[in-house]
């Protein structure tokens, strides 16, 4: 008995090690991201506050470039409003507003923490539940697609970037309209990969890739990237496509969170359909 | 004693802040992300009880995890370092040194010994970290490249800061 107690005393650090290692593995395996337990949400808020403070310092160094990007987008949007169009027809017409029902709304947000050099990358945004952000909302920026919201606390949220092992986004080729899936191989944050495109479709170098609009999280036609090279895989009859993202995720600063007003309805319909099958 | 605890707490905060807000934001190459927080575990006094080393390494790893939005990878790899550190300490230090409050540095170990000590620990840590991060062998070459480049950067940074903070008196 005495020896047993001495054994436990001498090797207490080994038992502590096993316990903590088990805890780490539990944290990793659970959803590959933390569960929304009280501790992790508190940690999220704390990390958010601190990151926000430090970001304010960092922000001054990129003021000019982010300003430039905003001006550019402003100019593009200004070109789209009604006053910048001249009517070519002499006929008068009525704009019937009730024909349109708004489907997407955008919540503007700022990135306060980001990584691009990991195998799995995340962004932290300064908007959370009290601003109307929910889990699984899409995130876009003026130049293209950014990711999907995975964890929300009161004031902040985490976004799973497209630069992630588990990121699978539905995209299509703007010219041929053929759809496929966007993944990231972890090598370079400027390049992505497309899979599930049948090789019977003639692709071209330089083709623009946009979102397909098949998922409820993103509107159709958000820019993704340009095809840089493609190869036929003889075994599967599918293409191996390399694309270059339009967005430099390392320089990204302001983003929009996409809110889909019809999402619940779409989800419900899908669920009912699955039940009936 | 209380001076040692204070100094350790100070080191913890400084190294964590440097790792989270400076190193994690650097993007020199996509394959190179140095992790200097291993230095915190290397720097602990040689007489620290083993279970405290293990506990501190978990806390350090989990802090990095929380602030950089990862889910326990840093905690897992650093806790492993915490448990094997004791063995290497008894390998590199004489028995009477392991009873005293020595902090492993170039000053106390000599350059070559310290370099070997740091290299072993950093390479083991980075290997576990990147293996778990990728969790597959399909990208083996790229994992290897990541491990090698990041290890070189981390070792260089640790040596550099050691020179900076613990100047050798001649």
């Amino acid at each position: 008995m005495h020896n047993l107690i001495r054994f436990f005393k001498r090797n207490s650090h080994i038992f502590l090690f096993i316990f903590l290692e088990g805890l780490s593995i539990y944290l990793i395996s659970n959803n590959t991201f933390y569960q929304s337990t009280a501790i992790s949400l508190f940690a999220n808020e704390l990390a958010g506050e601190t990151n926000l403070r430090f970001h304010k310092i960092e922000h001054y160094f990129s003021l000019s470039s982010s300003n430039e990007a905003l001006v550019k987008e402003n100019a593009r949007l200004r070109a789209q409003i009604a006053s910048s169009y001249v009517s070519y027809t002499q006929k008068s017409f009525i704009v019937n507003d009730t024909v349109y029902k708004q489907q997407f709304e955008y919540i503007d947000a700022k990135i306060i923490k980001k990584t691009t050099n990991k195998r799995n990358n995340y962004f932290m945004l300064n908007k959370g539940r009290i601003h109307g952000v929910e889990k699984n909302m899409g995130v876009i920026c003026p130049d293209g697609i950014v990711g999907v919201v995975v964890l929300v606390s009161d004031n902040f949220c985490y976004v799973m970037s497209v630069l992630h092992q588990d990121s699978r986004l539905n995209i299509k080729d703007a010219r041929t309209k053929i759809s496929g899936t966007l993944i990231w191989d972890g090598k370079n944050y400027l390049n992505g990969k497309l899979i599930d495109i049948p090789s019977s479709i003639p692709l071209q170098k330089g083709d623009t890739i946009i979102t397909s609009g098949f998922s409820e999280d993103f509107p159709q036609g958000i820019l993704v990237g340009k095809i840089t090279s493609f190869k036929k895989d003889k075994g599967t009859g599918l293409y191996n496509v390399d694309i270059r993202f339009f967005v430099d995720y390392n320089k990204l600063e302001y983003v929009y969170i996409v809110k889909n007003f019809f999402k619940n309805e779409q989800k419900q319909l899908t669920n009912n359909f699955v039940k009936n099958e | 004693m209380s001076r040692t605890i204070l100094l350790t707490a100070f080191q913890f905060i400084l190294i964590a802040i440097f790792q989270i807000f400076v190193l994690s934001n650097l993007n020199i190459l996509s394959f190179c992300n140095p992790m200097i927080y291993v230095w915190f575990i290397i720097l602990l006094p040689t007489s620290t009880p083993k279970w405290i080393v293990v506990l501190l390494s978990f806390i350090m790893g989990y802090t990095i995890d929380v602030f950089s939005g990862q889910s326990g990878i840093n905690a897992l790899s650093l806790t492993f370092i915490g448990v094997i550190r004791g063995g290497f300490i008894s390998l590199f230090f004489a028995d009477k040194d392991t009873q005293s409050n020595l902090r492993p540095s170039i000053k106390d170990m000599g350059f070559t010994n310290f370099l070997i000590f740091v290299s072993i620990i950093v390479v083991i840590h980075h290997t576990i970290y990147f293996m778990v991060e990728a969790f597959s062998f399909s990208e083996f070459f790229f994992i290897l490249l990541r491990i090698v480049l990041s290890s070189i950067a981390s070792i260089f940074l640790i040596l550099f800061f050691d020179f900076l903070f613990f100047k050798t008196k001649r």
Side-chain angles (χ1 to χ4, degrees), chain A residues 13 16 21 23 25 27-28 32-34 43 50-51 58 113 116-119 122 158 165 185-187, chain B residues 20-21 25-27 30 33 50-51 58 62 66-67 69-71 76 79 129 133-134 139 142 146:
Chain A
H13 68 286
L16 185 66
E21 218 54 331
L23 191 65
I25 292 168
L27 285 171
I28 295 173
T32 68
F33 204 70
Y34 349 137
T50 332
N51 284 332
E58 211 182 271
K113 174 87 188 166
T116 48
N117 53 4
K118 300 254 156 51
R119 179 64 184 89
Y122 293 95
Y158 263 111
Q165 214 167 7
D185 56 7
K187 286 168 197 169
Chain B
I20 296 161
F21 297 109
N25 290 336
L26 280 183
N27 203 342
S30 340
N33 33 70
K50 281 175 181 171
W51 67 274
F58 177 79
Y62 190 65
V66 166
F67 279 90
Q70 286 164 304
S71 51
L76 183 128
T79 314
Y129 179 90
E133 192 187 36
E139 303 162 347
F142 291 97
R146 260 164 211 264

Tab-separated table of all heavy atoms in Angstrom, chain A residues 13 16 21 23 25 27-28 32-34 43 50-51 58 113 116-119 122 158 165 185-187, chain B residues 20-21 25-27 30 33 50-51 58 62 66-67 69-71 76 79 129 133-134 139 142 146:
chain	number	residue	atom	x	y	z
A	13	HIS	N	2.856	13.625	-12.289
A	13	HIS	CA	2.865	14.457	-13.499
A	13	HIS	C	2.443	13.657	-14.726
A	13	HIS	O	1.874	14.186	-15.663
A	13	HIS	CB	4.240	15.099	-13.705
A	13	HIS	CG	5.320	14.136	-14.051
A	13	HIS	ND1	5.874	13.271	-13.123
A	13	HIS	CD2	5.958	13.904	-15.217
A	13	HIS	CE1	6.816	12.550	-13.716
A	13	HIS	NE2	6.886	12.914	-14.981
A	16	LEU	N	-1.346	13.638	-14.659
A	16	LEU	CA	-1.809	14.973	-15.043
A	16	LEU	C	-1.674	15.146	-16.552
A	16	LEU	O	-2.573	15.642	-17.231
A	16	LEU	CB	-0.986	16.034	-14.312
A	16	LEU	CG	-1.429	17.471	-14.514
A	16	LEU	CD1	-2.793	17.691	-13.896
A	16	LEU	CD2	-0.422	18.440	-13.932
A	21	GLU	N	-3.856	15.853	-21.842
A	21	GLU	CA	-3.770	15.459	-23.246
A	21	GLU	C	-5.140	14.971	-23.716
A	21	GLU	O	-5.585	15.286	-24.822
A	21	GLU	CB	-2.720	14.347	-23.348
A	21	GLU	CG	-1.817	14.340	-24.527
A	21	GLU	CD	-1.033	15.614	-24.813
A	21	GLU	OE1	-1.496	16.712	-24.481
A	21	GLU	OE2	0.036	15.495	-25.391
A	23	LEU	N	-7.967	15.948	-22.501
A	23	LEU	CA	-8.787	17.153	-22.606
A	23	LEU	C	-8.542	17.860	-23.940
A	23	LEU	O	-9.479	18.280	-24.630
A	23	LEU	CB	-8.455	18.085	-21.440
A	23	LEU	CG	-9.368	19.275	-21.200
A	23	LEU	CD1	-10.747	18.802	-20.805
A	23	LEU	CD2	-8.792	20.173	-20.129
A	25	ILE	N	-7.423	16.526	-26.738
A	25	ILE	CA	-7.963	15.720	-27.836
A	25	ILE	C	-9.478	15.883	-27.900
A	25	ILE	O	-10.061	16.010	-28.980
A	25	ILE	CB	-7.570	14.239	-27.666
A	25	ILE	CG1	-6.062	14.083	-27.869
A	25	ILE	CG2	-8.318	13.355	-28.650
A	25	ILE	CD1	-5.508	12.750	-27.459
A	27	LEU	N	-11.087	18.561	-27.010
A	27	LEU	CA	-11.332	19.889	-27.583
A	27	LEU	C	-11.170	19.871	-29.097
A	27	LEU	O	-11.936	20.476	-29.830
A	27	LEU	CB	-10.362	20.910	-26.984
A	27	LEU	CG	-10.646	21.362	-25.563
A	27	LEU	CD1	-9.496	22.192	-25.033
A	27	LEU	CD2	-11.927	22.178	-25.523
A	28	ILE	N	-10.144	19.151	-29.573
A	28	ILE	CA	-9.885	19.116	-31.014
A	28	ILE	C	-10.981	18.345	-31.738
A	28	ILE	O	-11.523	18.786	-32.748
A	28	ILE	CB	-8.523	18.462	-31.311
A	28	ILE	CG1	-7.385	19.316	-30.751
A	28	ILE	CG2	-8.337	18.274	-32.811
A	28	ILE	CD1	-6.036	18.657	-30.848
A	32	THR	N	-14.315	19.948	-34.457
A	32	THR	CA	-13.082	20.595	-34.888
A	32	THR	C	-13.022	22.076	-34.533
A	32	THR	O	-12.162	22.804	-34.943
A	32	THR	CB	-12.810	20.466	-36.408
A	32	THR	OG1	-13.776	21.210	-37.117
A	32	THR	CG2	-12.783	19.049	-36.849
A	33	PHE	N	-13.961	22.548	-33.791
A	33	PHE	CA	-13.920	23.915	-33.290
A	33	PHE	C	-14.538	23.860	-31.916
A	33	PHE	O	-15.115	22.862	-31.549
A	33	PHE	CB	-14.737	24.838	-34.194
A	33	PHE	CG	-14.292	26.256	-34.084
A	33	PHE	CD1	-13.069	26.618	-34.590
A	33	PHE	CD2	-15.074	27.189	-33.452
A	33	PHE	CE1	-12.639	27.910	-34.473
A	33	PHE	CE2	-14.643	28.486	-33.345
A	33	PHE	CZ	-13.422	28.842	-33.861
A	34	TYR	N	-14.389	24.927	-31.087
A	34	TYR	CA	-14.908	24.688	-29.775
A	34	TYR	C	-16.427	24.642	-29.770
A	34	TYR	O	-17.071	25.285	-30.547
A	34	TYR	CB	-14.554	25.712	-28.701
A	34	TYR	CG	-13.548	26.747	-28.927
A	34	TYR	CD1	-13.822	28.019	-28.488
A	34	TYR	CD2	-12.316	26.464	-29.495
A	34	TYR	CE1	-12.870	28.990	-28.587
A	34	TYR	CE2	-11.374	27.459	-29.610
A	34	TYR	CZ	-11.666	28.709	-29.148
A	34	TYR	OH	-10.745	29.662	-29.231
A	43	ALA	N	-14.263	32.832	-23.227
A	43	ALA	CA	-12.927	32.992	-23.804
A	43	ALA	C	-13.005	33.754	-25.119
A	43	ALA	O	-12.164	34.604	-25.415
A	43	ALA	CB	-12.297	31.620	-24.029
A	50	THR	N	-9.612	41.751	-26.489
A	50	THR	CA	-8.174	42.009	-26.558
A	50	THR	C	-7.733	42.214	-27.999
A	50	THR	O	-6.966	43.130	-28.302
A	50	THR	CB	-7.385	40.822	-25.961
A	50	THR	OG1	-8.200	40.200	-24.993
A	50	THR	CG2	-6.107	41.277	-25.347
A	51	ASN	N	-8.240	41.342	-28.882
A	51	ASN	CA	-7.870	41.479	-30.287
A	51	ASN	C	-8.295	42.833	-30.832
A	51	ASN	O	-7.585	43.443	-31.619
A	51	ASN	CB	-8.516	40.374	-31.114
A	51	ASN	CG	-7.813	39.055	-30.916
A	51	ASN	OD1	-6.623	39.046	-30.628
A	51	ASN	ND2	-8.526	37.974	-31.038
A	58	GLU	N	-2.895	48.301	-35.023
A	58	GLU	CA	-2.489	47.744	-36.308
A	58	GLU	C	-3.200	48.450	-37.466
A	58	GLU	O	-2.650	48.632	-38.538
A	58	GLU	CB	-2.911	46.279	-36.275
A	58	GLU	CG	-2.059	45.332	-37.051
A	58	GLU	CD	-2.665	43.951	-36.920
A	58	GLU	OE1	-2.288	43.264	-35.969
A	58	GLU	OE2	-3.520	43.584	-37.729
A	113	LYS	N	-9.178	39.885	-36.377
A	113	LYS	CA	-8.132	38.877	-36.170
A	113	LYS	C	-8.184	37.934	-37.347
A	113	LYS	O	-9.259	37.503	-37.745
A	113	LYS	CB	-8.404	38.123	-34.866
A	113	LYS	CG	-7.477	36.971	-34.606
A	113	LYS	CD	-6.240	37.428	-33.911
A	113	LYS	CE	-5.232	36.299	-33.836
A	113	LYS	NZ	-3.912	36.768	-33.461
A	116	THR	N	-3.700	33.425	-42.218
A	116	THR	CA	-3.720	32.882	-43.578
A	116	THR	C	-2.640	31.837	-43.759
A	116	THR	O	-2.591	31.181	-44.779
A	116	THR	CB	-3.490	33.988	-44.630
A	116	THR	OG1	-2.361	34.762	-44.219
A	116	THR	CG2	-4.687	34.879	-44.780
A	117	ASN	N	-1.768	31.671	-42.763
A	117	ASN	CA	-0.631	30.764	-42.970
A	117	ASN	C	-0.799	29.426	-42.268
A	117	ASN	O	0.102	28.619	-42.274
A	117	ASN	CB	0.671	31.425	-42.522
A	117	ASN	CG	0.591	31.945	-41.105
A	117	ASN	OD1	-0.411	31.738	-40.433
A	117	ASN	ND2	1.632	32.599	-40.652
A	118	LYS	N	-1.976	29.180	-41.684
A	118	LYS	CA	-2.207	27.892	-41.034
A	118	LYS	C	-2.842	26.932	-42.039
A	118	LYS	O	-3.240	27.332	-43.127
A	118	LYS	CB	-3.149	28.081	-39.840
A	118	LYS	CG	-2.599	29.035	-38.803
A	118	LYS	CD	-2.123	28.265	-37.587
A	118	LYS	CE	-1.083	29.011	-36.791
A	118	LYS	NZ	-1.398	30.353	-36.423
A	119	ARG	N	-2.962	25.671	-41.637
A	119	ARG	CA	-3.679	24.741	-42.508
A	119	ARG	C	-5.178	25.063	-42.466
A	119	ARG	O	-5.859	24.980	-43.466
A	119	ARG	CB	-3.441	23.296	-42.050
A	119	ARG	CG	-4.169	22.254	-42.892
A	119	ARG	CD	-3.635	22.272	-44.310
A	119	ARG	NE	-4.339	21.379	-45.221
A	119	ARG	CZ	-5.406	21.727	-45.926
A	119	ARG	NH1	-5.919	22.928	-45.801
A	119	ARG	NH2	-5.953	20.870	-46.770
A	122	TYR	N	-9.038	31.035	-39.801
A	122	TYR	CA	-10.275	31.654	-39.347
A	122	TYR	C	-10.135	33.167	-39.375
A	122	TYR	O	-9.036	33.707	-39.310
A	122	TYR	CB	-10.589	31.234	-37.909
A	122	TYR	CG	-10.919	29.777	-37.766
A	122	TYR	CD1	-9.945	28.862	-37.423
A	122	TYR	CD2	-12.208	29.333	-37.975
A	122	TYR	CE1	-10.244	27.522	-37.299
A	122	TYR	CE2	-12.521	27.991	-37.845
A	122	TYR	CZ	-11.535	27.096	-37.502
A	122	TYR	OH	-11.847	25.772	-37.386
A	158	TYR	N	-16.698	34.103	-35.198
A	158	TYR	CA	-15.597	33.473	-35.916
A	158	TYR	C	-16.100	33.024	-37.281
A	158	TYR	O	-17.178	32.465	-37.412
A	158	TYR	CB	-15.088	32.258	-35.156
A	158	TYR	CG	-13.888	32.548	-34.300
A	158	TYR	CD1	-13.956	32.535	-32.921
A	158	TYR	CD2	-12.671	32.838	-34.906
A	158	TYR	CE1	-12.845	32.803	-32.149
A	158	TYR	CE2	-11.551	33.110	-34.144
A	158	TYR	CZ	-11.642	33.090	-32.771
A	158	TYR	OH	-10.540	33.354	-32.011
A	165	GLN	N	-9.456	23.297	-44.308
A	165	GLN	CA	-9.569	21.903	-44.727
A	165	GLN	C	-11.020	21.477	-44.971
A	165	GLN	O	-11.304	20.724	-45.884
A	165	GLN	CB	-9.001	21.059	-43.590
A	165	GLN	CG	-8.289	19.826	-44.022
A	165	GLN	CD	-7.491	19.249	-42.863
A	165	GLN	OE1	-7.594	19.706	-41.729
A	165	GLN	NE2	-6.698	18.257	-43.142
A	185	ASP	N	-6.078	23.377	-50.691
A	185	ASP	CA	-5.121	22.305	-50.391
A	185	ASP	C	-4.071	22.713	-49.370
A	185	ASP	O	-3.191	21.931	-49.034
A	185	ASP	CB	-4.451	21.826	-51.688
A	185	ASP	CG	-3.794	22.966	-52.433
A	185	ASP	OD1	-3.759	24.081	-51.880
A	185	ASP	OD2	-3.303	22.744	-53.546
A	186	GLY	N	-4.136	23.925	-48.860
A	186	GLY	CA	-3.232	24.299	-47.772
A	186	GLY	C	-1.860	24.747	-48.204
A	186	GLY	O	-0.978	24.903	-47.371
A	187	LYS	N	-1.645	24.938	-49.515
A	187	LYS	CA	-0.287	25.268	-49.948
A	187	LYS	C	-0.068	26.764	-50.043
A	187	LYS	O	0.909	27.299	-49.521
A	187	LYS	CB	-0.001	24.607	-51.286
A	187	LYS	CG	0.203	23.117	-51.096
A	187	LYS	CD	0.195	22.361	-52.389
A	187	LYS	CE	-0.030	20.887	-52.111
A	187	LYS	NZ	-0.295	20.134	-53.310
B	20	ILE	N	0.855	35.862	-29.973
B	20	ILE	CA	-0.496	36.038	-30.493
B	20	ILE	C	-0.586	37.255	-31.412
B	20	ILE	O	-1.184	37.199	-32.480
B	20	ILE	CB	-1.501	36.178	-29.331
B	20	ILE	CG1	-1.545	34.890	-28.523
B	20	ILE	CG2	-2.886	36.502	-29.852
B	20	ILE	CD1	-2.136	35.062	-27.146
B	21	PHE	N	0.019	38.368	-30.991
B	21	PHE	CA	-0.229	39.601	-31.737
B	21	PHE	C	0.865	39.970	-32.720
B	21	PHE	O	0.654	40.800	-33.584
B	21	PHE	CB	-0.461	40.754	-30.762
B	21	PHE	CG	-1.670	40.533	-29.921
B	21	PHE	CD1	-1.574	40.236	-28.584
B	21	PHE	CD2	-2.925	40.571	-30.502
B	21	PHE	CE1	-2.690	40.004	-27.832
B	21	PHE	CE2	-4.054	40.335	-29.758
B	21	PHE	CZ	-3.941	40.045	-28.413
B	25	ASN	N	0.534	37.097	-36.764
B	25	ASN	CA	0.085	37.997	-37.824
B	25	ASN	C	1.102	38.146	-38.934
B	25	ASN	O	0.800	38.690	-39.987
B	25	ASN	CB	-0.229	39.373	-37.244
B	25	ASN	CG	-1.461	39.345	-36.392
B	25	ASN	OD1	-2.314	38.474	-36.578
B	25	ASN	ND2	-1.562	40.255	-35.451
B	26	LEU	N	2.327	37.695	-38.680
B	26	LEU	CA	3.337	37.751	-39.725
B	26	LEU	C	3.008	36.711	-40.773
B	26	LEU	O	2.546	35.639	-40.467
B	26	LEU	CB	4.719	37.439	-39.149
B	26	LEU	CG	5.438	38.552	-38.421
B	26	LEU	CD1	6.808	38.055	-38.014
B	26	LEU	CD2	5.573	39.764	-39.311
B	27	ASN	N	3.270	37.039	-42.027
B	27	ASN	CA	3.086	36.029	-43.057
B	27	ASN	C	4.233	36.128	-44.041
B	27	ASN	O	4.100	36.678	-45.113
B	27	ASN	CB	1.744	36.231	-43.753
B	27	ASN	CG	1.272	34.959	-44.390
B	27	ASN	OD1	2.074	34.046	-44.587
B	27	ASN	ND2	0.004	34.878	-44.703
B	30	SER	N	3.956	31.066	-46.721
B	30	SER	CA	2.802	30.317	-46.196
B	30	SER	C	3.265	29.119	-45.381
B	30	SER	O	2.509	28.573	-44.609
B	30	SER	CB	1.904	29.817	-47.312
B	30	SER	OG	2.121	30.524	-48.463
B	33	ASN	N	5.424	29.319	-40.055
B	33	ASN	CA	4.895	30.072	-38.934
B	33	ASN	C	5.591	29.716	-37.639
B	33	ASN	O	5.299	28.710	-37.013
B	33	ASN	CB	3.356	30.001	-38.806
B	33	ASN	CG	2.807	28.686	-39.269
B	33	ASN	OD1	3.018	27.682	-38.622
B	33	ASN	ND2	2.141	28.682	-40.395
B	50	LYS	N	7.698	18.586	-11.670
B	50	LYS	CA	7.273	18.163	-13.009
B	50	LYS	C	5.810	18.457	-13.286
B	50	LYS	O	5.444	18.848	-14.396
B	50	LYS	CB	7.537	16.664	-13.168
B	50	LYS	CG	8.989	16.362	-13.466
B	50	LYS	CD	9.242	14.881	-13.503
B	50	LYS	CE	10.708	14.600	-13.771
B	50	LYS	NZ	11.025	13.181	-13.607
B	51	TRP	N	4.961	18.264	-12.264
B	51	TRP	CA	3.524	18.451	-12.526
B	51	TRP	C	3.208	19.916	-12.790
B	51	TRP	O	2.281	20.236	-13.548
B	51	TRP	CB	2.675	17.884	-11.402
B	51	TRP	CG	2.788	18.597	-10.083
B	51	TRP	CD1	3.697	18.378	-9.120
B	51	TRP	CD2	1.949	19.656	-9.616
B	51	TRP	NE1	3.504	19.226	-8.066
B	51	TRP	CE2	2.429	20.023	-8.345
B	51	TRP	CE3	0.834	20.325	-10.137
B	51	TRP	CZ2	1.841	21.038	-7.591
B	51	TRP	CZ3	0.247	21.332	-9.384
B	51	TRP	CH2	0.753	21.678	-8.136
B	58	PHE	N	0.181	23.234	-20.424
B	58	PHE	CA	-1.202	23.155	-20.920
B	58	PHE	C	-1.848	24.537	-20.925
B	58	PHE	O	-2.505	24.935	-21.888
B	58	PHE	CB	-2.033	22.203	-20.056
B	58	PHE	CG	-3.474	22.136	-20.486
B	58	PHE	CD1	-3.844	21.372	-21.572
B	58	PHE	CD2	-4.452	22.872	-19.822
B	58	PHE	CE1	-5.161	21.328	-21.989
B	58	PHE	CE2	-5.777	22.828	-20.233
B	58	PHE	CZ	-6.131	22.043	-21.314
B	62	TYR	N	-3.241	26.369	-24.178
B	62	TYR	CA	-4.663	26.674	-24.302
B	62	TYR	C	-4.895	28.171	-24.493
B	62	TYR	O	-5.799	28.573	-25.234
B	62	TYR	CB	-5.421	26.166	-23.064
B	62	TYR	CG	-6.915	26.231	-23.249
B	62	TYR	CD1	-7.531	25.445	-24.213
B	62	TYR	CD2	-7.696	27.105	-22.504
B	62	TYR	CE1	-8.890	25.520	-24.425
B	62	TYR	CE2	-9.060	27.178	-22.707
B	62	TYR	CZ	-9.653	26.386	-23.660
B	62	TYR	OH	-10.987	26.469	-23.870
B	66	VAL	N	-7.015	29.737	-27.554
B	66	VAL	CA	-8.193	30.589	-27.406
B	66	VAL	C	-8.014	31.877	-28.212
B	66	VAL	O	-8.915	32.293	-28.933
B	66	VAL	CB	-8.424	30.923	-25.914
B	66	VAL	CG1	-9.412	32.063	-25.769
B	66	VAL	CG2	-8.926	29.706	-25.183
B	67	PHE	N	-6.835	32.458	-28.115
B	67	PHE	CA	-6.667	33.757	-28.766
B	67	PHE	C	-6.453	33.643	-30.268
B	67	PHE	O	-6.629	34.610	-30.984
B	67	PHE	CB	-5.510	34.524	-28.120
B	67	PHE	CG	-5.917	35.198	-26.849
B	67	PHE	CD1	-5.819	34.548	-25.639
B	67	PHE	CD2	-6.439	36.472	-26.877
B	67	PHE	CE1	-6.215	35.153	-24.469
B	67	PHE	CE2	-6.845	37.090	-25.715
B	67	PHE	CZ	-6.729	36.429	-24.505
B	69	GLY	N	-7.967	31.200	-32.066
B	69	GLY	CA	-9.121	30.516	-32.646
B	69	GLY	C	-8.829	29.107	-33.119
B	69	GLY	O	-9.392	28.645	-34.093
B	70	GLN	N	-7.927	28.407	-32.433
B	70	GLN	CA	-7.705	27.009	-32.771
B	70	GLN	C	-8.260	26.169	-31.634
B	70	GLN	O	-8.472	26.663	-30.542
B	70	GLN	CB	-6.217	26.744	-32.953
B	70	GLN	CG	-5.712	27.314	-34.244
B	70	GLN	CD	-4.218	27.411	-34.248
B	70	GLN	OE1	-3.626	28.031	-33.386
B	70	GLN	NE2	-3.604	26.802	-35.221
B	71	SER	N	-8.461	24.878	-31.894
B	71	SER	CA	-9.200	24.106	-30.910
B	71	SER	C	-8.337	23.077	-30.204
B	71	SER	O	-8.546	21.898	-30.325
B	71	SER	CB	-10.355	23.405	-31.605
B	71	SER	OG	-9.835	22.735	-32.728
B	76	LEU	N	-2.308	20.527	-26.920
B	76	LEU	CA	-1.873	19.131	-27.039
B	76	LEU	C	-0.373	19.036	-27.245
B	76	LEU	O	0.322	18.311	-26.543
B	76	LEU	CB	-2.617	18.458	-28.204
B	76	LEU	CG	-2.329	16.973	-28.410
B	76	LEU	CD1	-3.634	16.223	-28.464
B	76	LEU	CD2	-1.544	16.724	-29.662
B	79	THR	N	1.700	20.402	-24.151
B	79	THR	CA	1.641	19.534	-22.970
B	79	THR	C	2.600	18.366	-23.122
B	79	THR	O	3.238	17.935	-22.171
B	79	THR	CB	0.211	19.011	-22.746
B	79	THR	OG1	-0.692	20.093	-22.875
B	79	THR	CG2	0.066	18.407	-21.373
B	129	TYR	N	2.612	19.320	-33.745
B	129	TYR	CA	1.661	20.373	-34.088
B	129	TYR	C	1.170	20.241	-35.531
B	129	TYR	O	-0.028	20.207	-35.786
B	129	TYR	CB	2.324	21.745	-33.874
B	129	TYR	CG	1.435	22.895	-34.235
B	129	TYR	CD1	0.595	23.470	-33.293
B	129	TYR	CD2	1.408	23.398	-35.531
B	129	TYR	CE1	-0.231	24.506	-33.615
B	129	TYR	CE2	0.577	24.437	-35.872
B	129	TYR	CZ	-0.235	24.992	-34.909
B	129	TYR	OH	-1.064	26.016	-35.239
B	133	GLU	N	-2.440	19.143	-36.983
B	133	GLU	CA	-3.153	20.176	-37.724
B	133	GLU	C	-3.659	19.648	-39.060
B	133	GLU	O	-4.799	19.868	-39.444
B	133	GLU	CB	-2.250	21.389	-37.941
B	133	GLU	CG	-2.997	22.604	-38.436
B	133	GLU	CD	-2.062	23.728	-38.796
B	133	GLU	OE1	-0.962	23.441	-39.308
B	133	GLU	OE2	-2.423	24.887	-38.582
B	134	ALA	N	-2.802	18.909	-39.780
B	134	ALA	CA	-3.207	18.393	-41.092
B	134	ALA	C	-4.041	17.128	-40.933
B	134	ALA	O	-4.990	16.914	-41.676
B	134	ALA	CB	-1.974	18.102	-41.920
B	139	GLU	N	-0.640	14.908	-47.494
B	139	GLU	CA	0.157	16.078	-47.864
B	139	GLU	C	1.511	15.996	-47.175
B	139	GLU	O	2.041	16.996	-46.698
B	139	GLU	CB	-0.569	17.347	-47.431
B	139	GLU	CG	-1.952	17.473	-48.018
B	139	GLU	CD	-2.806	18.472	-47.257
B	139	GLU	OE1	-2.406	18.865	-46.155
B	139	GLU	OE2	-3.857	18.834	-47.777
B	142	PHE	N	4.412	18.458	-47.825
B	142	PHE	CA	4.164	19.841	-47.411
B	142	PHE	C	4.203	19.987	-45.890
B	142	PHE	O	4.647	20.996	-45.370
B	142	PHE	CB	2.840	20.334	-47.985
B	142	PHE	CG	2.915	20.509	-49.458
B	142	PHE	CD1	2.461	19.515	-50.299
B	142	PHE	CD2	3.497	21.634	-50.007
B	142	PHE	CE1	2.573	19.650	-51.662
B	142	PHE	CE2	3.612	21.777	-51.366
B	142	PHE	CZ	3.149	20.781	-52.194
B	146	ARG	N	6.705	22.421	-43.886
B	146	ARG	CA	6.225	23.281	-42.824
B	146	ARG	C	7.041	23.081	-41.558
B	146	ARG	O	7.464	24.029	-40.905
B	146	ARG	CB	4.760	22.966	-42.513
B	146	ARG	CG	3.772	23.893	-43.126
B	146	ARG	CD	2.409	23.253	-43.069
B	146	ARG	NE	1.619	23.692	-44.192
B	146	ARG	CZ	0.749	24.695	-44.128
B	146	ARG	NH1	0.550	25.313	-43.010
B	146	ARG	NH2	0.076	25.064	-45.190
